[in-house]
Amino acid sequence: VGADSAPLAVTVTPAGATDKEVTFSSSDETKATVNDKGVVHGVAAGNAVITATLKSDNTITATRNVTVA
């Protein structure tokens, strides 16, 4: 991710899961932010970890490392 935006793709499994809503967060919003749709926006050079968390069970998460150049 540069000074632009990029969407994250999230797949909740199993396919028949009734709750597929997730929330997103950034470990360092001075480097990268993420909106409620999973679109990451680079803010400044550096690294951040974007976390997607299942709304109905906050123990279920997935992470993605992003680098802003």
Side-chain angles (χ1 to χ4, degrees):
V1 175
D4 295 317
S5 298
L8 292 176
V10 176
T11 303
V12 177
T13 56
T18 57
D19 180 12
K20 295 185 178 190
E21 291 188 66
V22 296
T23 58
F24 296 93
S25 61
S26 172
S27 65
D28 188 347
E29 292 190 345
T30 66
K31 305 301 180 199
T33 60
V34 60
N35 69 16
D36 61 343
K37 304 284 189 222
V39 177
V40 178
H41 179 74
V43 176
N47 299 304
V49 177
I50 304 300
T51 302
T53 303
L54 190 64
K55 279 188 176 183
S56 65
D57 183 349
N58 66 2
T59 66
I60 299 174
T61 63
T63 60
R64 173 65 67 181
N65 295 318
V66 296
T67 300
V68 180

